[in-house]
Amino acid sequence: MTYCSEEDVYNATGMNSSIVQELSGKTEQEVTSMINSFISQAEARIKRELKIPITIRKERHVGDGHTIIISLGPQDDEFGIFDYDPENKVEEVYAVYHGNRRVKLPYPKDCDELTEQTASSWAGSNATISDEQTEVKCGSYSIKIVFSSAGEAKYPSSANLAKKIKPWKYIAFWFKSSDASAKFQLRLYDKDGNYEYHEFTVEKANVWYPIRLAVEDFTGSIDWSDKRLYQIGIYANKACTVYFDNFNFNDGWWWSYPSGTINYGGKDDDKFSSGDVVYVTYGYDPFKVSVPAEIQEACACLAGVKLIEYLIGARLRTTAFEVMSQTIEPPLDRFTLENLRTRLIQRYERAMASFGYGFIGGLA
Amino acid sequence: MSSVGTFKQVKDKLIALIKASHSSLNDSDNISHVFGEWRIRMYRLENMPIVTVRISPYQQWQLLYGKASSGGTAIVSWSAHVFQKKGASPSAQELAQAIVEYLAKKGRDPSTGICYFYEMLMRESEPERGPSNITRIIIEGRMLVKYSY
């Protein structure tokens, strides 16, 4: 969710798409793209100035012996601090402490890099692979694999991961299949194309399941203390459509965001024991789910400043290098745009002040 | 009979006469020094001297009131702003003098209907917000023009 829209920028500046098109010589689509980039820049600056993502240090969570998916947020806080509300506001998990032990960070560190818009790097036999933006469990994309019959999809197609996986005990990912009777294998390849595999299934079709496997339980004879992982493969024994996301190697804990959960690793039916305590350090964006009116205005004003600066530049191309012919003075009307730009900056700073920017203390 | 003495003809001729009035105002190498526009591009200032010309007003003088006429005479008031860098040669004053003398002596032009120039005056005037190293001389004058539609 962006902090403001293109329309908000027009409302702040009094401009509209057609006048910007006329002044800049850009198409409607190019103007939209330019303003969206101004909005992104404004958002980045607001986040920097309000110190977002805000870091929550060692948030406490307690096991109940059943749950393996834990929503991040203050619900288990022993001091009863409930004035922040992360879950879907979570931006990034930095560290997990299981008891006194800091859990080794997963590979990849965001638990998602290998399945985030990587379809072009996959190759398959009897498998069509694409990036999926609707059926997603982590990040913005999952991998969609359509098996036309028994087949396999491999990543990366160039088989060049070259990753030592020995430090991690477990593999985890979210998985959904259109056919509950299909049997799947996760395959781990070495440089020579030899592989180890672990079978898994889903209980019911078209439901997301967290799949958790232990590396030591894989069938095969590759010694991962000597060899590196070069490729992974998803094998299906029949035609079906599957979604694959959040794939990672972990040391007991892995995480999913923007859904905002940490997930217990282990294997198969391992549970996070009742009474066990885990502490999580993570960052969240308080405006990720809903944007307050002041932040929306601040973002629109700052993006508006950038738009006006662009238009001042566009106008400089023709008018700013002119002088009045009888006095050789610069025309005065150029200052109206610069004045508007200054007023937008002032409005932006007032809007930001309501969230503590410019004061000692405040939200940050 | 083709029309003469129209606003455009008169202005174009005035500009041409001023260009011809001094060698430093002649067009050369695609560089002009005399302009008729209300605004000029800033980079023109690199090629001093500059003269900007404006007509205000062009006043038709009807001798026979109430009668449709195919022509008559007009009193055309004009101004020329002469800009030159301080210390440059020729100076703005010398250029203004040359322009006035040229128009007085050679301004008559039957092809555009200009009969003669008169009541010409020159004055120095510093632009309030203009560059301080540039001198401005304002020339104002009138010309009698015979026009026909």
Side-chain angles (χ1 to χ4, degrees):
Chain A
M1 180 178 223
T2 55
Y3 284 0
C4 74
S5 67
E6 183 180 356
E7 191 61 31
D8 294 329
V9 179
Y10 291 143
N11 290 342
T13 56
M15 300 288 162
N16 60 27
S17 181
S18 58
I19 190 73
V20 178
Q21 287 170 48
E22 195 176 318
L23 294 171
S24 64
K26 291 178 183 290
T27 64
E28 185 177 2
Q29 201 173 11
E30 286 169 340
V31 167
T32 297
S33 164
M34 178 177 75
I35 290 178
N36 284 339
S37 85
F38 292 157
I39 291 170
S40 300
Q41 291 166 31
E43 246 184 63
R45 181 161 163 188
I46 289 169
K47 284 183 178 177
R48 191 166 65 247
E49 288 177 341
L50 294 181
K51 296 182 172 55
I52 295 171
I54 295 168
T55 302
I56 299 295
R57 297 188 189 281
K58 289 199 167 181
E59 181 180 270
R60 182 172 179 266
H61 292 276
V62 185
D64 60 10
H66 300 285
T67 309
I68 63 159
I69 309 291
I70 296 174
S71 295
L72 292 174
Q75 59 272 14
D76 286 340
D77 191 286
E78 56 193 330
F79 301 110
I81 300 172
F82 300 122
D83 62 345
Y84 64 101
D85 181 36
E87 199 164 328
N88 292 332
K89 297 173 182 173
V90 173
E91 289 262 289
E92 189 175 352
V93 176
Y94 304 127
V96 173
Y97 300 83
H98 193 145
N100 291 325
R101 180 177 71 92
R102 178 171 175 168
V103 176
K104 184 174 175 56
L105 288 174
Y107 164 71
K109 286 187 176 61
D110 65 354
C111 296
D112 196 34
E113 190 182 306
L114 303 182
T115 52
E116 189 71 4
Q117 210 175 2
T118 57
S120 60
S121 300
W122 286 68
S125 57
N126 298 330
T128 306
I129 300 124
S130 59
D131 292 313
E132 168 67 28
Q133 281 186 279
T134 309
E135 295 289 341
V136 176
K137 284 302 282 187
C138 185
S140 305
Y141 295 86
S142 69
I143 293 293
K144 178 182 181 183
I145 308 170
V146 179
F147 290 103
S148 55
S149 61
E152 185 179 11
K154 293 181 180 178
Y155 173 85
S157 52
S158 52
N160 63 353
L161 276 181
K163 187 72 184 174
K164 278 273 192 182
I165 59 168
K166 189 62 181 174
W168 292 277
K169 294 179 190 164
Y170 307 109
I171 291 172
F173 53 91
W174 285 95
F175 197 81
K176 178 158 120 169
S177 167
S178 63
D179 188 338
S181 66
K183 289 191 168 131
F184 303 99
Q185 289 178 3
L186 177 70
R187 295 175 174 177
L188 306 177
Y189 287 85
D190 68 8
K191 73 178 172 53
D192 300 318
N194 302 315
Y195 68 86
E196 286 195 332
Y197 68 93
H198 198 306
E199 288 194 338
F200 62 94
T201 54
V202 295
E203 284 177 16
K204 191 176 176 186
N206 299 320
V207 176
W208 281 105
Y209 291 99
I211 307 293
R212 300 177 301 153
L213 313 170
V215 176
E216 65 180 12
D217 292 346
F218 274 61
T219 303
S221 56
I222 300 173
D223 182 356
W224 294 112
S225 58
D226 291 340
K227 302 206 169 178
R228 294 172 192 272
L229 173 74
Y230 280 82
Q231 200 173 33
I232 61 169
I234 302 282
Y235 169 83
N237 71 339
K238 61 190 293 193
C240 58
T241 298
V242 304
Y243 299 92
F244 178 59
D245 202 5
N246 215 172
F247 178 83
N248 65 89
F249 293 82
N250 64 73
D251 192 22
W253 286 96
W254 51 295
W255 39 84
S256 309
Y257 42 85
S259 52
T261 61
I262 57 165
N263 315 315
Y264 189 54
K267 59 181 179 179
D268 303 334
D269 294 328
D270 281 0
K271 296 287 190 295
F272 181 33
S273 304
S274 179
D276 266 14
V277 177
V278 67
Y279 298 95
V280 188
T281 297
Y282 64 95
Y284 79 99
D285 173 359
F287 313 131
K288 196 165 186 176
V289 177
S290 67
V291 181
E294 293 87 348
I295 292 297
Q296 188 178 357
E297 183 183 351
C299 185
C301 288
L302 192 52
V305 169
K306 291 174 187 300
L307 175 61
I308 296 296
E309 278 181 346
Y310 176 82
L311 293 179
I312 289 172
R315 214 184 66 156
L316 285 177
R317 288 181 214 152
T318 51
T319 61
F321 300 110
E322 287 183 344
V323 290
M324 304 305 290
S325 66
Q326 293 200 320
T327 59
I328 55 176
E329 292 171 359
L332 287 175
D333 56 354
R334 63 189 287 192
F335 298 116
T336 57
L337 273 177
E338 287 157 13
N339 185 283
L340 172 59
R341 177 184 174 278
T342 304
R343 281 191 288 122
L344 286 173
I345 290 175
Q346 288 170 343
R347 280 178 57 195
Y348 156 75
E349 287 178 346
R350 278 201 295 273
M352 292 289 281
S354 61
F355 282 86
Y357 170 64
F359 296 92
I360 295 171
L363 183 74
Chain B
M1 183 181 175
S2 60
S3 60
V4 295
T6 63
F7 202 136
K8 180 174 179 354
Q9 285 174 327
V10 168
K11 181 160 185 179
D12 288 348
K13 185 62 185 179
L14 177 59
I15 289 171
L17 287 168
I18 291 174
K19 282 183 178 179
S21 65
H22 193 279
S23 59
S24 65
L25 297 176
N26 299 162
D27 288 348
S28 60
D29 299 329
N30 296 322
I31 294 172
S32 288
H33 297 276
V34 185
F35 303 96
E37 292 83 16
W38 281 74
R39 292 184 182 186
I40 57 173
R41 301 289 283 169
M42 197 174 272
Y43 66 83
R44 302 281 194 196
L45 300 181
E46 292 176 11
N47 299 309
M48 290 282 178
I50 281 175
V51 180
T52 59
V53 179
R54 187 175 297 175
I55 285 180
S56 178
Y58 176 108
Q59 181 185 14
Q60 290 184 353
W61 183 33
Q62 298 285 5
L63 288 173
L64 297 168
Y65 295 99
K67 180 183 176 185
S69 171
S70 62
T73 53
I75 295 169
V76 179
S77 300
W78 55 272
S79 65
H81 289 60
V82 181
F83 299 95
Q84 175 65 301
K85 287 178 189 167
K86 282 180 181 167
S89 180
S91 66
Q93 289 83 354
E94 288 169 330
L95 280 171
Q97 184 72 45
I99 291 168
V100 167
E101 283 183 19
Y102 189 85
L103 294 178
K105 289 177 183 172
K106 300 185 178 177
R108 178 178 170 77
D109 178 46
S111 68
T112 53
I114 297 175
C115 301
Y116 54 84
F117 286 81
Y118 65 104
E119 288 184 1
M120 287 187 280
L121 57 89
M122 297 177 275
R123 64 167 179 272
E124 292 180 329
S125 175
E126 286 281 326
E128 271 183 38
R129 293 173 53 249
S132 60
N133 64 337
I134 292 177
T135 301
R136 177 175 69 170
I137 306 289
I138 301 174
I139 308 171
E140 291 174 326
R142 291 179 180 173
M143 53 180 140
L144 188 70
V145 173
K146 187 177 178 182
Y147 69 91
S148 64
Y149 298 132

